[in-house]
Amino acid sequence: MKRTVYIFSDGELVRKQNTLYFETEKESKYIPIENTAEIYVMGELSITKKLLELLCEYEILVHFFNHYGYYVGTFYPREHYNSGHMILKQAEFYNSPDKRVDLAKRFVEGAVANIKYVLRYYINRGTAIGNILEHIEELEKLIVNQTSCEQLMAIEGNVREQYYSAFDEIIGNPEFVFEKRTRQPASNRLNCLISFGNSLLYVAVLSEIYKTHLDPRIGFLHTTNFRRFTLNLDVSEIFKPIIVDRLIFKLLNKNMIQPEDFYQEGGGLFLKERGKKVFVEEFDRKLATTIEYRPIKRAVSYRRLIRMELYKIEKHLLGEKSYEPFTTRW
């Protein structure tokens, strides 16, 4: 089974004996390329043209993060499954205001549904956040009447603002308070974890898009502009609550990440290497976790669920079956 490789140390990744060879000042090791699905680079890495040729041959994506843990870009090999017909379909839906807004609504509806399930999970365990769920349900009623993606993004933003206000009650740790959503740089530890987790999810979805006929540059809820990719942002909205947020709650409620796993620099807070390693290890484990998927009556992993979500979008674009976003049932 292929696995995701995470590189935290500074070093050089080269092609050697027709496989991957990683070397640092202290150690060196071979990384079997036939067992590698993708590579996440968290440290400073030197690479060669021969290495890139090998990665293209094996269709391996390399995702780069900067010193602070923020995603900066991806080496995206030439598309093996790329389809001109599918690109035209994506463009057709994007350029049709009605078709685009209809699809964008479905992404927002899926995101809100999964947010509600997370809140209900903790309400059933005695957390006093019922009023927040009620506010979100009122906002949810507005989705159907919106006529633009900007309006939908505004509603989605308001829903998340309400949702994030429940985090302090769910976590119950004064060392990890939400206050308000801040991104680059994050103003506190909890925002730092949210941003790091979201970045990991964005690239995980991007990797799954690569295995379909879809083009990641054409999204629908998020505006397609000079950003490299947008479709992965759309799909990630659905999975953030049940993958990233639930993972953060686990890490904090089980004291797996501590205040000392962060450092302050330039007015922001960032994860140290140990914190990143703990997070990605649990993130990888979460993606491999299986749940019962009712439409096919068998267990599938969260990573597979993401791919199946993309297949549903393909069918929607081709007019084969109307897209219904995944909503959790645990």
Side-chain angles (χ1 to χ4, degrees):
M1 182 178 177
K2 292 190 175 183
R3 65 186 185 92
T4 300
V5 173
Y6 295 93
I7 296 177
F8 292 93
S9 305
D10 297 347
E12 184 178 19
L13 186 64
V14 299
R15 176 176 185 165
K16 191 171 184 179
Q17 297 180 5
N18 214 36
T19 192
L20 303 174
Y21 185 75
F22 181 60
E23 186 171 19
T24 70
E25 292 182 353
K26 298 180 179 179
E27 62 177 349
S28 58
K29 63 179 179 180
Y30 285 97
I31 302 173
I33 194 164
E34 63 273 10
N35 297 335
T36 302
E38 58 190 338
I39 303 171
Y40 286 55
V41 180
M42 306 284 179
E44 293 297 321
L45 187 71
S46 297
I47 56 178
T48 64
K49 177 174 174 287
K50 287 184 177 180
L51 170 72
L52 296 179
E53 290 172 351
L54 186 66
L55 294 171
C56 278
E57 181 182 342
Y58 283 85
E59 299 170 1
I60 296 173
L61 279 69
V62 185
H63 308 292
F64 294 94
F65 295 75
N66 65 17
H67 169 71
Y68 302 109
Y70 295 131
Y71 170 71
V72 293
T74 294
F75 170 69
Y76 202 75
R78 64 178 182 272
E79 293 89 346
H80 180 67
Y81 297 107
N82 198 247
S83 163
H85 180 62
M86 185 60 72
I87 292 174
L88 290 175
K89 279 296 180 182
Q90 284 182 254
E92 174 191 325
F93 272 70
Y94 184 86
N95 288 321
S96 167
D98 291 342
K99 289 181 178 180
R100 180 186 171 193
V101 169
D102 174 64
L103 193 48
K105 282 180 182 178
R106 296 167 193 253
F107 290 129
V108 175
E109 288 167 349
V112 174
N114 287 326
I115 282 172
K116 287 165 55 184
Y117 272 109
V118 171
L119 293 177
R120 288 194 184 111
Y121 176 88
Y122 287 99
I123 288 171
N124 291 337
R125 280 151 183 77
T127 308
I129 51 177
N131 61 320
I132 294 173
L133 177 59
E134 290 174 3
H135 285 307
I136 289 175
E137 288 175 335
E138 288 301 312
L139 288 167
E140 183 181 28
K141 296 175 184 176
L142 303 176
I143 295 173
V144 66
N145 294 321
Q146 303 312 304
T147 58
S148 74
C149 290
E150 290 75 19
Q151 292 170 343
L152 289 168
M153 288 287 285
I155 290 175
E156 194 266 347
N158 289 334
V159 167
R160 287 202 178 271
E161 184 177 355
Q162 288 289 325
Y163 172 53
Y164 285 138
S165 71
F167 277 31
D168 289 349
E169 285 292 328
I170 292 172
I171 296 168
N173 186 338
E175 299 284 2
F176 292 89
V177 293
F178 183 77
E179 294 176 347
K180 64 178 181 178
R181 183 74 177 107
T182 56
R183 291 173 173 81
Q184 298 185 17
S187 62
N188 58 41
R189 300 182 186 106
L190 189 50
N191 272 283
C192 177
L193 293 176
I194 293 170
S195 293
F196 186 62
N198 287 348
S199 289
L200 292 177
L201 182 60
Y202 294 151
V203 297
V205 175
L206 179 62
S207 292
E208 294 308 306
I209 292 174
Y210 183 73
K211 300 163 189 170
T212 72
H213 295 98
L214 293 164
D215 192 305
R217 296 168 294 184
I218 306 176
F220 302 96
L221 175 62
H222 291 82
T223 300
T224 295
N225 48 28
F226 294 103
R227 280 188 297 200
R228 184 73 173 93
F229 307 116
T230 52
L231 182 59
N232 59 325
L233 305 184
D234 288 356
V235 177
S236 292
E237 297 298 337
I238 296 168
F239 290 97
K240 281 179 186 177
I242 55 177
I243 294 180
V244 176
D245 301 337
R246 291 286 320 265
L247 176 55
I248 290 172
F249 299 153
K250 174 186 176 181
L251 291 170
L252 298 183
N253 290 335
K254 292 190 174 183
N255 297 314
M256 299 170 73
I257 286 183
Q258 304 281 347
E260 53 267 27
D261 289 318
F262 299 80
Y263 69 95
Q264 191 161 7
E265 182 179 317
L269 277 168
F270 306 95
L271 267 176
K272 294 179 182 177
E273 184 173 316
R274 195 202 83 89
K276 291 177 187 175
K277 286 182 176 179
V278 170
F279 200 116
V280 299
E281 183 179 334
E282 291 302 314
F283 180 77
D284 227 24
R285 186 173 289 118
K286 181 70 174 181
L287 290 183
T289 301
T290 59
I291 63 170
E292 187 71 22
Y293 188 51
R294 292 183 179 181
I296 59 174
K297 297 181 180 179
R298 66 181 176 90
V300 297
S301 69
Y302 278 102
R303 186 180 291 278
R304 184 64 183 174
L305 275 177
I306 293 171
R307 179 98 60 89
M308 293 169 71
E309 199 72 4
L310 297 167
Y311 290 152
K312 290 192 295 182
I313 294 170
E314 285 187 340
K315 290 183 177 180
H316 181 89
L317 296 173
L318 294 172
E320 295 177 4
K321 187 176 181 181
S322 183
Y323 170 66
E324 296 294 335
F326 171 76
T327 55
T328 188
R329 290 290 187 274
W330 40 250

